[in-house]
Amino acid sequence: MRAPRATALALAAAAALAAASGAAATGPHGAAAPADGAVVDMPGRQFAPSNVTVVVGQSVTWRNGDSAAHDISGDIDAGRVPPGASLTRRFDVPGHYAYFCRVHRSMRGSVDVVAVDLRGPEDPVRPGDRVELDAVAPHGSGVLRLERLREGAAPEVVAEAALDGEGRARFVVGADEPGRYRARLGELVSRVAAVRVAPRLRLEASRHGRSVRVRATVEPAAAARELSLRDYVRERFDYLPLRRLKVRADGTVAVRLRTARRLRLRVEVADAAPGWSRSASAPVVVLRLGDRGRGGSGGGGHGGH
């Protein structure tokens, strides 16, 4: 295995945290994966997933579920993996390792090896949600600290957790606004994990003759600068824009539409404040003028991003 370029500090940290060598082992397809590492499958002429991240001292196992043999070459250079077999490599030096299959050159993948790993939710969350951040560090490393990063300010320690027997820890933080976090273990730090937050949108609409009154609310008010009011067009299978509305200081927008036709409305964040993600409201149906009922319907809800 050829190690990519790494700083002297990273190499020293890796040497102090892990053993110096990693052995390969082959076995039948379906054998147990390493207890602390990652698994890459080869269901055909691809590596799935194509990129994995592991912590210093952890292993990656490649499992060949194809009817053809494949090869692990490049920075890793692990060799041939017959059909139905698996191959495991342990990584002891931080860095980015790119590899490919010499038999099928289109098959490419990579392994990122870090001293400390921190993962947050992949999708945006809502204001006030409780968010879990999972960290992994070398076994027996002690107490892990979670730092929040703010522009122009020193990192703030917001939580501490002891690593379990597998080198794992979990932090729970409130997501009142978008945040950037990293885990620290002495001088070792993880990559930044971003917690994305999308505002809640509520939409209300009601018919008054040919006039349709529309009102929307953004929570929190500072999360969006403009909303897009959209109507569902059945022939296009999509919501198409009607108006672009500026959000007031109190987080509201209001507009009147002149139409007798049936509407299926929703609002979306068109211009989010820095750091905030986009979201959409639940749809609201306004009946066509003259239809039976209350003359229209109003309401709202929280839409997904």
Side-chain angles (χ1 to χ4, degrees):
M1 188 184 338
R2 297 193 299 271
R5 293 180 180 177
T7 64
L9 177 60
L11 288 169
L17 290 169
S21 63
T26 60
H29 180 59
D36 55 347
V39 174
V40 178
D41 286 315
M42 292 174 274
R45 296 187 178 183
Q46 63 175 324
F47 295 112
S50 61
N51 173 264
V52 294
T53 299
V54 295
V55 172
V56 166
Q58 289 187 335
S59 301
V60 176
T61 294
W62 288 267
R63 302 190 304 197
N64 187 359
D66 195 10
S67 59
H70 294 296
D71 177 85
I72 310 297
S73 297
D75 292 335
I76 299 171
D77 201 14
R80 185 172 178 270
V81 187
S86 63
L87 182 148
T88 298
R89 277 287 187 268
R90 173 171 154 166
F91 292 83
D92 296 317
V93 178
H96 178 80
Y97 297 79
Y99 64 89
F100 62 93
C101 174
R102 286 184 296 184
V103 182
H104 309 99
R105 294 279 179 157
S106 63
M107 294 177 61
R108 295 183 177 273
S110 61
V111 177
D112 288 314
V113 184
V114 297
V116 181
D117 190 30
L118 181 68
R119 304 290 181 92
E122 294 184 358
D123 298 323
V125 299
R126 298 296 181 182
D129 285 354
R130 303 293 288 175
V131 176
E132 295 179 347
L133 296 168
D134 291 320
V136 184
H139 295 190
S141 300
V143 177
L144 201 62
R145 292 176 172 80
L146 182 68
E147 297 178 340
R148 180 161 188 171
L149 307 178
R150 299 179 187 273
E151 189 173 352
E156 175 191 5
V157 177
V158 294
E160 294 185 352
L163 295 167
D164 64 16
E166 295 186 345
R168 301 179 183 277
R170 172 167 289 177
F171 302 100
V172 180
V173 297
D176 295 326
E177 59 182 359
R180 299 169 67 249
Y181 299 87
R182 71 183 183 190
R184 175 179 290 277
L185 182 64
E187 296 300 317
L188 303 176
V189 295
S190 71
R191 293 179 294 188
V192 174
V195 174
R196 296 181 296 151
V197 183
R200 289 187 171 91
L201 302 182
R202 179 178 175 83
L203 176 64
E204 301 173 354
S206 59
R207 177 176 294 286
H208 303 270
R210 289 183 172 273
S211 177
V212 176
R213 296 177 183 175
V214 180
R215 186 177 187 274
T217 305
V218 181
E219 180 190 343
R225 295 180 290 212
E226 288 188 339
L227 300 183
S228 175
L229 176 63
R230 294 173 173 256
D231 180 35
Y232 186 79
V233 178
R234 187 169 55 183
E235 295 79 10
R236 299 286 294 275
F237 302 101
D238 197 7
Y239 285 88
L240 301 184
L242 293 176
R243 302 280 182 87
R244 193 165 169 127
L245 308 169
K246 289 189 177 296
V247 179
R248 301 165 179 162
D250 62 357
T252 64
V253 299
V255 67
R256 288 194 181 191
L257 305 175
R258 293 285 296 177
T259 180
R261 66 182 180 86
R262 182 182 185 274
L263 301 172
R264 183 179 176 86
L265 303 172
R266 80 176 186 189
V267 288
E268 302 175 3
V269 174
D271 184 11
W276 288 85
S277 297
R278 296 188 177 189
S279 59
S281 73
V284 173
V285 174
V286 179
L287 299 179
R288 183 176 56 188
L289 182 64
D291 280 357
R292 286 189 173 185
R294 297 169 57 189
S297 65
H302 301 157
H305 176 62

